[in-house]
Amino acid sequence: MNDKPKLTTTAGSPWPNNQDSLSAGERGPLLIQDYQLIEKLAHQNRERIPERTVHAKGWGAHGKLVITEDISQYTLAKCLQKGAETPMIARFSTVAGEAGAADHERDVRGFSLKFYTEDGNWDMVGNNTPVFFVRDPYKFPDFIHTQKRHPKTNMRSPTAMWDFWSLSPEAMHQVTILMSDRGLPQSPMHMNGYGSHTFSFWNEKGERYWVKFHFKTQQGHDFFTNEEAEKVVGKTREGYQERLFNAIEDGKYPRWKFQIQIMPETDAEKTDYNPFDLTKVWPHDEYPPIDVGYFELNRNAENYFAEIENAAFSPSNIVPGISWSPDKMLQARIFSYADAHRHRLGTHYEQIPVNRPKCPVHHYHKDGEMNVYGGIATGNPNAYYEPNSFNGPVEVREAQEPPLRISGDAARYDHRKYDDYKQPRALYADVMDDAERDRLHQNMGGALVGVPTVIVERWFEHLRQVHPDYEAGVRKEWEAASRDAGYDPNGLPITGDTPHEANDQSPQQPTIEAAE
Ligand code: NDP
């Protein structure tokens, strides 16, 4: 006898032989009666669930959110009161690459946090950048298509990316950050997280404030240049997983300072930018960051699939004291993120342990995939609809947020009328130093190699409107990198294939010009 656990079937019956299949004679065929063999093969075929369309490659860990400051004047959220400590899980990710992509690719990083509060789960589904490429959800699927594979070549398409961006000036801010040092952090521990959208708080008096969430890395903004990243990727494609996992195993728990920006409700009508525009920040001098506390990651998952791949974050998850704003992208994500999880994990994905709230859950949703715990737990099976006379769960009126004050006609407002150059200009001219600007020029100039000239020139016109030095710097680097790659800086291929993709070949160009 030994003290190892007993091997069983998935139904718990002891299993005698996991080495030899059941055959009709030693040299004969297998019997279908060997159900455990069939089950083993069937499980192998079902080990993958649908990959996230975006943010497929991820890394995460468990930790805690600690509130050190008093912000009760803004919010009554229990998890945000001074002294509160809330268990949490974080998942970081790249956007475009598939689940097997290399970690050290230049890309925006997802920065998703789930706080298991006593009032239910609060999810913060942000990025490592304070802004995004688009501000109207109509553009969201189109943008994502440009980041994924070309339908014919099945390769990533710089042509598509730069074509879309050059036709979408609101992308300028985010593209500038993406091509800057912050576009290639050394690890998930070396980047900030931003809620990016504008959310809202409400307090005991029923007053609403608009709020931006910031999570500042305490490990520093260490980054790689493209050349350094290429060397890292040549050695390992899992660099983020290794660094985050090993830091936590070694007890070097990463931390992020938690800050907010607060805007009084009526200010939203006064700012010269739309405070609900996801392509804009709130300048710090107008709305200074306020310290709230910190979060720390201190425990690795025991099972990556169960706890990180199965983790489902959605901006639809808020708790009393925290709510949304009229940000159009946020409004769309409230639907689309939860819907992605219903598709990916099953209708009742919030019953999966990593997603399950740590407080009692009572609702009247009924059957469907993943309904393993049932909805209501009243002890009375007759209370399966509402209203009922059988002591079923009742609504919590005091959890009602104050009314959202909205004015204006229902219409399709032109979102292109805003200035898309001022904030990237502040970043380029006032925040970055010369060395950062040089690296930005190099990164962007290199990324534009092989892209048809008509698109490149359209992009340069946007750069010029941000700052003439921005255009001149990127143009110089693009010309040099194009020559090095065997291209005429006109963008027309001189020899061979483009360094990026087959669809950058000249036959596509007439179509683009004709569309102009
Ligand atoms: P500030 O000078 O007060 O803030 C600039 C902020 O820029 C810094 O606090 C830092 O944000 C961030 N930053 C510093 N270096 C880089 C970099 N290389 N790439 C990206 N971000 C960097 O000015 P404003 O608040 O008026 O903002 C000026 C510009 O700074 C904005 O237009 C925006 O592009 C950028 N920015 C602003 C943020 C904001 O919330 N106001 C946040 C991030 C960037 P952090 O402290 O978050 O690290």
Side-chain angles (χ1 to χ4, degrees), residues 130 173 182 192 194 214 216 281-284 423 427 431 436:
H173 201 178
R182 292 198 182 186
N192 286 351
Y194 300 88
H214 303 256
K216 303 284 179 68
V281 297
W282 297 353
H284 285 154
Q423 292 202 352
L427 177 61
V431 177
E436 285 177 297

Side-chain angles (χ1 to χ4, degrees), residues 443-455:
N443 293 335
M444 196 178 285
L448 282 160
V449 171
V451 174
T453 314
V454 65
I455 294 172

Side-chain angles (χ1 to χ4, degrees), residues 288-469:
I290 298 167
D291 287 346
V292 178
Y294 68 90
F295 82 80
E296 171 187 281
L297 298 181
N298 52 27
R299 182 164 61 88
N300 279 316
E302 289 302 314
N303 182 290
Y304 177 88
F305 180 85
E307 295 161 57
I308 307 300
E309 181 68 5
N310 269 347
F313 304 87
S314 172
S316 50
N317 284 345
I318 51 167
V319 295
I322 304 172
S323 187
W324 307 294
S325 81
D327 177 334
K328 294 179 174 64
M329 280 294 294
L330 173 60
Q331 295 278 320
R333 291 177 79 218
I334 290 168
F335 159 72
S336 71
Y337 278 55
D339 193 54
H341 302 312
R342 284 189 282 265
H343 161 66
R344 191 173 70 87
L345 299 168
T347 313
H348 292 270
Y349 64 91
E350 284 177 314
Q351 293 187 20
I352 297 172
V354 69
N355 300 323
R356 206 175 176 213
K358 296 192 191 302
C359 63
V361 176
H362 303 129
H363 58 72
Y364 290 94
H365 300 305
K366 212 157 171 276
D367 308 336
E369 292 164 295
M370 292 290 163
N371 188 5
V372 290
Y373 294 113
I376 44 179
T378 60
N380 188 338
N382 295 321
Y384 63 97
Y385 53 89
E386 205 280 335
N388 64 69
S389 307
F390 300 99
N391 292 324
V394 291
E395 60 220 16
V396 184
R397 283 290 164 92
E398 54 274 27
Q400 179 63 54
E401 67 178 296
L404 191 61
R405 294 195 186 90
I406 299 171
S407 62
D409 300 331
R412 297 182 187 274
Y413 292 92
D414 177 9
H415 72 89
R416 290 274 159 75
K417 67 181 187 188
Y418 294 102
D419 180 340
D420 289 317
Y421 304 111
K422 185 175 169 187
Q423 292 202 352
R425 186 178 306 123
L427 177 61
Y428 180 85
D430 304 334
V431 177
M432 292 183 181
D433 61 26
D434 285 343
E436 285 177 297
R437 278 190 286 267
D438 284 348
R439 289 191 292 271
L440 169 66
H441 298 159
Q442 280 167 25
N443 293 335
M444 196 178 285
L448 282 160
V449 171
V451 174
T453 314
V454 65
I455 294 172
V456 176
E457 289 296 339
R458 195 196 288 140
W459 181 250
F460 285 165
E461 176 54 24
H462 294 304
L463 294 183
R464 198 185 58 72
Q465 293 195 55
V466 176
H467 200 286
D469 293 354

Side-chain angles (χ1 to χ4, degrees), residues 36-293:
Q36 293 309 319
L37 172 64
I38 292 168
E39 166 116 319
K40 200 166 180 175
L41 297 174
H43 266 267
Q44 185 180 26
N45 288 342
R46 289 163 177 76
E47 283 177 1
R48 297 289 167 271
I49 56 176
E51 186 175 289
R52 288 164 161 92
T53 306
V54 281
H55 297 280
K57 182 79 187 277
W59 325 273
H62 299 269
K64 62 178 179 183
L65 172 71
V66 179
I67 306 302
T68 57
E69 310 302 323
D70 181 359
I71 58 164
S72 57
Q73 62 180 301
Y74 304 121
T75 179
L76 54 74
K78 290 182 195 143
C79 62
L80 296 180
Q81 301 309 310
K82 187 173 179 179
E85 237 184 80
T86 305
M88 61 173 287
I89 188 167
R91 182 179 184 272
F92 312 106
S93 52
T94 43
V95 178
E98 292 88 357
D103 294 350
H104 282 102
E105 288 181 349
R106 182 170 296 281
D107 199 353
V108 170
R109 265 68 182 165
F111 198 105
S112 294
L113 312 174
K114 184 185 290 295
F115 304 107
Y116 304 97
T117 89
E118 62 184 285
D119 274 338
N121 289 350
W122 172 37
D123 290 0
M124 170 64 47
V125 197
N127 280 329
N128 70 328
T129 61
V131 294
F132 194 60
F133 298 93
V134 295
R135 59 177 156 241
D136 193 291
Y138 260 101
K139 304 317 304 164
F140 194 27
D142 293 300
F143 164 66
I144 296 302
H145 289 164
T146 70
Q147 300 299 299
K148 306 297 281 193
R149 293 171 187 272
H150 185 282
K152 181 169 179 180
T153 68
N154 199 32
M155 289 185 263
R156 302 279 299 281
S157 171
T159 295
M161 295 176 204
W162 291 103
D163 189 31
F164 181 88
W165 287 336
S166 67
L167 292 166
S168 309
E170 70 269 31
M172 173 58 70
H173 201 178
Q174 178 78 317
V175 176
T176 299
I177 297 173
L178 172 64
M179 295 293 158
S180 79
D181 294 344
R182 292 198 182 186
L184 193 30
Q186 283 199 10
S187 88
M189 298 173 288
H190 295 99
M191 61 193 195
N192 286 351
Y194 300 88
S196 302
H197 299 288
T198 297
F199 291 85
S200 62
F201 274 162
W202 86 85
N203 64 16
E204 294 283 0
K205 293 185 205 156
E207 297 161 334
R208 188 188 292 276
Y209 292 88
W210 307 118
V211 58
K212 291 268 195 196
F213 296 107
H214 303 256
F215 300 91
K216 303 284 179 68
T217 174
Q218 301 301 288
Q219 289 67 241
H221 282 280
D222 293 359
F223 65 93
F224 280 135
T225 63
N226 286 350
E227 292 70 30
E228 288 166 340
E230 277 168 26
K231 286 188 194 135
V232 174
V233 172
K235 289 186 184 149
T236 175
R237 298 171 66 77
E238 319 300 338
Y240 274 35
Q241 179 69 15
E242 290 163 9
R243 290 189 69 166
L244 179 64
F245 186 88
N246 291 336
I248 293 172
E249 289 297 292
D250 293 346
K252 294 176 187 145
Y253 302 142
R255 278 193 180 189
W256 284 260
K257 186 197 276 190
F258 178 20
Q259 293 182 317
I260 52 173
Q261 285 176 290
I262 292 284
M263 181 185 287
E265 191 175 18
T266 50
D267 275 23
E269 290 143 32
K270 300 176 191 157
T271 50
D272 66 351
Y273 51 90
N274 177 354
F276 310 121
D277 175 349
L278 185 54
T279 68
K280 303 287 183 291
V281 297
W282 297 353
H284 285 154
D285 59 353
E286 290 174 28
Y287 300 99
I290 298 167
D291 287 346
V292 178

